[in-house]
Amino acid sequence: MGGALGCVIVDQSTVGMQEQFGKFKKVVRPGIHFVPWCCGINIAGRLSLRVQQLDVRCETKTKDNVFVNIVASVQYRAIQEAAFDAYYKLTNPRSQIQSYVFDVVRASVPKMILDDVFEQKSEIARNVEEQLEKAMTNYGWEIVQTLIVDVEPDETVKKAMNEINAAQRSRLATREKAEAEKLLQVKRAEAEAESKYLSGVGIARQRQAIVDGLRESVVAFSHNVPGTSAKDVLDMVMVTQYFDTMKEIGASSKNSTVFIPHGPGAVGDVAEQIRNGLLQGSAGTPR
């Protein structure tokens, strides 16, 4: 009905291209417009001023001969003041943008190794945006933003990268485990050395206490029984200890059979051996 009456509505964020007999006349803004078709005037087309997005997938090769798919996301819009250029100069702006993205990506990525491609995505996006801005502004289009949203190596390359990463982490874990085991062994050895040292100190103190006790007993007995020498007292003490030991062995039912020299002469030998051992322990013990 509106077309029959010569009325045309242009939506918000859109401009229309008004022509008369096929020649551009003016840009019409959003709203209702009287277009007398009988005079050869019509709206040849409409141009959206909204931000649009184009995702471009480009396959290229890196410096280390790895094929990757680079996905670039370009956000662009028509410049209202240059609506004539945006509508008439390019037949397909999306195809033009895609061509420039291909050109920049395939010129930048082959200079980088694969790891650098992942690390320098923002640099690649900036190069694409700068190149597009220079080219598309002349055609009435503004590049709002360009992003490299994905870098996809070949599946076998991704698998190899994961295996390398896993091997590195495994090697690091093995090294850390070995260091922990080494530290544990060192601490265990230090603890064992400290334990042996303390045990030796305890044994030395025990022997010293025995020697001191025997010496005091010998001295006390010598004073109380005149005419006895220290050797006689020590022999008597050793004999007493000897018979006490024999008594304990015989009284216990859980002891195994023990064969020891026994007799009047053997007692002297045992006493001599015990006395020599105590005296040697006393001489070697620090006071």
Side-chain angles (χ1 to χ4, degrees):
M1 185 66 179
L5 297 176
C7 295
V8 176
I9 297 176
V10 178
D11 297 330
Q12 185 65 37
S13 299
T14 306
V15 294
M17 302 294 113
Q18 189 179 95
E19 296 179 351
Q20 185 173 18
F21 297 114
K23 182 180 180 181
F24 172 76
K25 185 176 182 182
K26 66 177 180 178
V27 176
V28 294
R29 299 184 179 275
I32 186 169
H33 300 274
F34 177 67
V35 182
W37 55 269
C38 57
C39 298
I41 299 175
N42 70 310
I43 301 298
R46 292 172 172 80
L47 180 66
S48 175
L49 301 178
R50 297 178 181 177
V51 176
Q52 303 178 59
Q53 180 169 308
L54 174 63
D55 293 330
V56 181
R57 178 181 293 271
C58 176
E59 184 181 19
T60 184
K61 186 179 73 169
T62 62
K63 187 176 182 180
D64 48 352
N65 296 321
V66 177
F67 281 90
V68 293
N69 285 312
I70 308 293
V71 181
S73 180
V74 181
Q75 297 175 353
Y76 65 100
R77 66 184 173 190
I79 303 173
Q80 185 171 349
E81 293 76 13
F84 174 84
D85 294 336
Y87 185 81
Y88 287 101
K89 282 191 174 182
L90 287 179
T91 303
N92 190 340
R94 295 175 67 87
S95 178
Q96 188 75 11
I97 291 174
Q98 186 176 17
S99 298
Y100 279 110
V101 172
F102 282 165
D103 182 65
V104 176
V105 170
R106 288 173 177 168
S108 302
V109 174
K111 298 177 182 179
M112 307 175 183
I113 62 174
L114 182 59
D115 291 340
D116 292 343
V117 174
F118 283 97
E119 295 175 1
Q120 301 181 21
K121 291 195 299 181
S122 58
E123 182 69 24
I124 300 172
R126 185 164 54 251
N127 293 338
V128 173
E129 184 173 347
E130 290 176 356
Q131 187 66 24
L132 284 175
E133 189 70 31
K134 293 178 183 178
M136 299 305 294
T137 302
N138 297 328
Y139 296 106
W141 293 92
E142 176 190 2
I143 304 301
V144 178
Q145 192 173 16
T146 302
L147 301 172
I148 301 298
V149 296
D150 200 5
V151 178
E152 299 179 356
D154 186 80
E155 195 64 33
T156 56
V157 176
K158 288 196 290 185
K159 183 178 179 181
M161 291 174 65
N162 290 334
E163 290 178 353
I164 292 173
N165 190 22
Q168 291 175 345
R169 292 181 181 275
S170 177
R171 196 159 51 243
L172 180 61
T174 302
R175 187 182 301 116
E176 293 295 331
K177 183 177 180 181
E179 289 293 333
E181 184 66 24
K182 175 183 175 182
L183 181 61
L184 184 62
Q185 291 181 359
V186 170
K187 292 299 181 182
R188 188 183 294 118
E190 291 177 353
E192 184 177 357
E194 183 69 16
S195 175
K196 289 182 178 180
Y197 170 77
L198 294 176
S199 177
V201 171
I203 293 174
R205 289 177 178 176
Q206 181 187 23
R207 290 177 178 175
Q208 183 63 42
I210 294 173
V211 171
D212 292 342
L214 289 175
R215 182 173 61 250
E216 291 175 359
S217 298
V218 169
V219 172
F221 197 91
S222 298
H223 285 304
N224 294 329
V225 182
T228 59
S229 64
K231 181 178 181 303
D232 296 334
V233 176
L234 186 60
D235 287 342
M236 186 181 68
V237 172
M238 292 297 104
V239 170
T240 303
Q241 293 293 329
Y242 173 78
F243 283 113
D244 288 342
T245 302
M246 295 296 296
K247 180 179 178 181
E248 290 181 3
I249 293 175
S252 177
S253 61
K254 296 182 179 180
N255 289 326
S256 301
T257 302
V258 179
F259 294 94
I260 59 174
H262 184 66
V267 173
D269 295 337
V270 172
E272 183 70 21
Q273 293 172 10
I274 294 175
R275 182 170 58 252
N276 292 337
L278 292 174
L279 292 175
Q280 289 176 2
S282 176
T285 302
R287 307 245 340 145

